[in-house]
Amino acid sequence: MTANSSPAASVGGNARATILNVDDTEAARYAKSRSLRHAGFDVADAVSGRDALAQMEARRPALVLLDVRLPDIDGIEVCRQIKQRWPTTMVLQTSATFTSAADRARGLEGGADSYLIQPIDPDELVAAVRALLRLHDAESSTRQLNETLERRIEERTRALHQANVRLLEQIAQRERAEAVLVQSQKMEAIGQLTGTMAHDFNNILASMVGYIHLVQRMAGDAKISALLDKALAAAERGKQLTLRLLAFSRSNDLVTGPTDVRTLLLGMRDWLRQAVESAIALDIAVQEGGELVAVTDANQLELALLNLVLNAKDAMPAGGSIHIDARARELGEADGDLPAGAYVVITVADTGVGMPAEVLAKAFDPFFTTKPVGRGTGLGLAQVANVARLSRGGARLASEPGQGTQVSLWLAAGSGAALGALAEREMPLNLAGRGERILVVDDEPDIRRTMAELLRGNGYEVLSAAEGGAALTAYADFNPQVVLLDLGLPGMSGIEVARRLRALQPELPIVFVSGHAERELLWTAVPGVRLLRKPFQSEGLYAEVRRCLDDSAGAAGD
């Protein structure tokens, strides 16, 4: 067998094995090198311990044939250093001097993998080297397998960790989505409950206001009239409260129109002061002179301002101050999401704890809150931003920890002329009736009775009905010129009654009397209908009826 074809001369079957032969005796070194080269191995010679270590550094042999007795460094010490620096290298210790069992044990204890006594039979030497190289090859394969397994385990562990992280993120996202859904359902239920309560409260107020007007008509004492005026003012405050409750419960888009911000803010002054603690000072500064009209929904704007004031109060547990400022602003060019144009800017600033940047970035997000469980819904600032956006403007938020918070609502400016025209259009000059026939339909006996008495006292002929079927029968017998119709009737709804009446008389003026309906939605269901909100003042009732009759007469004349 030639050196190139000998399988024993390779490590792992893919490279010729290099043997380092270390011996200071030339004859012994030559004999061992000759036998190994003849067996197909690459052999390098070294004559001292230092030479052997240098050769190790340069060649990295698979096996070292190492004599124990060397001129500079003891062979056992050389073996120790080799095993320390190149632990996978096999060491075959040889000696012609140290031949006892104790010597062999000392060599093996020093780290040698095998020990032979010189002179060595060439076949035994080759066989020993081959055996050690097979062991070296097996250890190398085992190490490679272990490394591969460790790498695969590490990769699999990393993949499992990444999958676990993704799973945890998905679980967290699902929990957040479920929490948002639950919160949304809670808010929807609260909104429905609030709307129902506001509707019932409006009916109670409407009955009270109606009776107050009837008593006021009969009262001849100025003191009694003054007291009744105070009762009407209290009822008006109750009406504003129900409007705010309805603004909270309403889920549809804002119904915008020209709103006098100066009047709105000054009208809220006492209400807002009642909403904060006594340790908190609240002041309102409104620009003097000039128009301060915004195109917005007054009820939703009031709710937004209340949300901002309550947030400011919560940010000042030890007390502080809230400053509300309103003034006209003009943008010469677009600023972010705000186009150029005229605005009314309402700013609410507090001296509270402020917000860090990470909270500030999410403050307008729905359901985001830093308040304890049960203290906040995360919808307050979201509602504020929505009001500003649907008022063709935007919301700006500035805050730093310990420096307080400032929220500015930019609302598109409206026209004072349009506001004046709206007010003028809402009050006809002559409110008295001239015997016209009015049909009143309401399931609340007190409201039905007071409306009928007020209209009769103002010069009208009135017939009333408590539900839809009776209303249709009354229409056929009475042929009314105007129908005042409650929206929430038992059985047949007010909208269905209106549609049937319109089928009988397409031009019939119909006024829905409701505390929570939206004019645009009613118009969609029954085109051309009007809306009178409960509770109403007697002048409002007379004005709505007179407007219907005058418009109907004008249309007939055309």
Side-chain angles (χ1 to χ4, degrees):
M1 184 178 293
T2 65
N4 290 333
S5 62
S6 172
S10 64
V11 181
N14 54 17
R16 288 168 62 87
T18 298
I19 309 297
L20 177 60
N21 182 18
V22 186
D23 198 321
D24 63 330
T25 303
E26 184 176 359
R29 184 176 68 253
Y30 173 78
K32 289 183 283 187
S33 295
R34 182 175 180 279
S35 298
L36 293 171
R37 288 191 179 100
H38 181 73
F41 295 103
D42 289 330
V43 182
D45 293 330
V47 298
S48 67
R50 291 188 180 87
D51 187 15
L53 294 175
Q55 294 271 19
M56 283 295 303
E57 187 70 44
R59 296 176 178 271
R60 304 291 174 87
L63 184 144
V64 178
L65 195 61
L66 179 61
D67 189 31
V68 174
R69 186 172 183 177
L70 295 173
D72 52 354
I73 306 175
D74 181 74
I76 292 178
E77 174 60 22
V78 174
C79 176
R80 187 189 66 77
Q81 293 190 35
I82 289 174
K83 286 295 185 178
Q84 183 179 13
R85 297 171 63 182
W86 301 281
T88 62
T89 301
M90 307 300 292
V91 176
L92 174 56
Q93 200 109 51
T94 64
S95 180
T97 306
F98 303 103
T99 60
S100 67
D103 294 328
R104 291 196 298 275
R106 178 170 169 264
L108 294 172
E109 290 287 345
D113 297 289
S114 187
Y115 198 102
L116 292 178
I117 303 299
Q118 298 188 95
I120 307 170
D121 180 78
D123 291 338
E124 182 184 5
L125 174 63
V126 171
V129 167
R130 287 174 176 168
L132 289 175
L133 288 177
R134 284 195 299 271
L135 180 61
H136 177 277
D137 203 25
E139 289 180 351
S140 296
S141 298
T142 301
R143 279 194 303 273
Q144 291 176 2
L145 178 60
N146 288 338
E147 290 173 358
T148 301
L149 288 174
E150 288 176 0
R151 185 170 59 253
R152 289 180 178 176
I153 290 171
E154 182 179 348
E155 291 173 353
R156 183 59 178 164
T157 302
R158 185 165 52 249
L160 288 173
H161 174 69
Q162 293 172 351
N164 188 49
V165 169
R166 288 194 298 270
L167 180 60
L168 291 175
E169 289 176 351
Q170 291 172 358
I171 292 173
Q173 290 175 358
R174 180 174 180 177
E175 289 177 346
R176 287 194 296 269
E178 289 176 347
V180 168
L181 177 60
V182 170
Q183 186 66 37
S184 177
Q185 291 172 339
K186 285 168 58 180
M187 294 306 299
E188 181 180 357
I190 292 171
Q192 291 174 350
L193 177 61
T194 303
T196 301
M197 291 174 59
H199 173 262
D200 293 341
F201 191 43
N202 269 333
N203 283 335
I204 295 171
L205 284 175
S207 300
M208 291 172 56
V209 169
Y211 283 123
I212 291 171
H213 280 297
L214 290 175
V215 174
Q216 198 171 42
R217 177 188 295 170
M218 295 182 290
D221 191 316
K223 291 183 178 180
I224 294 178
S225 294
L227 292 174
L228 292 173
D229 287 339
K230 291 184 180 296
L232 287 174
E236 181 62 27
R237 289 196 296 273
K239 175 183 177 181
Q240 294 303 318
L241 175 61
T242 59
L243 288 174
R244 288 163 186 145
L245 290 173
L246 289 168
F248 168 77
S249 67
R250 193 166 64 202
S251 60
N252 56 304
D253 288 346
L254 281 69
V255 180
T256 59
T259 300
D260 187 337
V261 173
R262 182 181 289 108
T263 301
L264 181 143
L265 277 174
L266 297 179
M268 292 183 68
R269 191 195 306 267
D270 293 339
W271 182 46
L272 291 177
R273 282 177 176 163
Q274 292 172 4
V276 299
E277 304 291 341
S278 58
I280 297 174
L282 184 144
D283 68 285
I284 299 177
V286 182
Q287 172 185 304
E288 296 291 341
E291 292 185 354
L292 210 61
V293 177
V295 180
T296 187
D297 183 310
N299 296 325
Q300 288 286 342
L301 179 57
E302 286 183 344
L303 180 61
L305 293 172
L306 175 62
N307 279 327
L308 291 177
V309 168
L310 292 178
N311 277 351
K313 182 194 74 170
D314 290 343
M316 297 182 290
S321 63
I322 301 173
H323 178 72
I324 302 176
D325 177 87
R327 61 191 60 253
R329 292 283 300 272
E330 186 82 26
L331 281 182
E333 58 184 24
D335 179 10
D337 58 343
L338 293 174
Y343 293 89
V344 175
V345 182
I346 305 174
T347 301
V348 179
D350 64 61
T351 58
V353 295
M355 306 180 196
E358 61 272 15
V359 173
L360 192 67
K362 300 179 180 179
F364 286 129
D365 292 352
F367 302 105
F368 175 78
T369 180
T370 58
K371 297 178 183 178
V373 175
R375 288 286 306 279
T377 63
L379 291 174
L381 285 178
Q383 185 268 345
V384 169
N386 191 50
V387 169
R389 180 178 61 83
L390 294 176
S391 299
R392 294 188 286 124
R396 295 289 186 266
L397 180 61
S399 185
E400 291 183 15
Q403 301 298 315
T405 300
Q406 176 177 297
V407 182
S408 296
L409 295 180
W410 290 68
L411 312 174
S415 167
L419 186 64
L422 182 63
E424 182 179 346
R425 186 172 64 250
E426 288 181 349
M427 189 58 65
L429 295 176
N430 186 0
L431 300 180
R434 295 182 286 273
E436 295 94 341
R437 297 176 305 280
I438 312 297
L439 175 60
V440 175
V441 186
D442 199 302
D443 62 321
E444 289 287 338
D446 289 332
I447 297 176
R448 194 168 63 246
R449 185 180 303 116
T450 54
M451 286 178 65
E453 289 298 324
L454 287 171
L455 289 168
R456 288 191 185 102
N458 201 45
Y460 295 101
E461 185 179 351
V462 182
L463 185 65
S464 60
E467 44 85 24
L472 295 175
T473 301
Y475 174 80
D477 298 334
F478 187 55
N479 191 24
Q481 294 166 270
V482 177
V483 175
L484 300 176
L485 181 60
D486 184 26
L487 183 61
L489 293 174
M492 190 186 307
S493 71
I495 288 178
E496 181 60 27
V497 173
R499 286 172 173 166
R500 294 196 183 191
L501 291 174
R502 280 289 178 82
L504 297 171
Q505 172 54 270
E507 304 301 325
L508 177 66
I510 296 176
V511 180
F512 277 107
V513 184
S514 174
H516 66 281
E518 294 300 333
R519 182 176 286 104
E520 285 70 16
L521 297 179
L522 293 176
W523 188 285
T524 301
V526 186
V529 296
R530 298 177 183 271
L531 174 63
L532 177 63
R533 291 195 180 278
K534 296 177 182 176
F536 47 82
Q537 301 293 333
S538 58
E539 288 80 3
L541 173 63
Y542 303 151
E544 200 63 55
V545 172
R546 177 46 53 193
R547 187 182 301 112
C548 288
L549 292 169
D550 291 346
D551 290 350
S552 180
D558 294 339

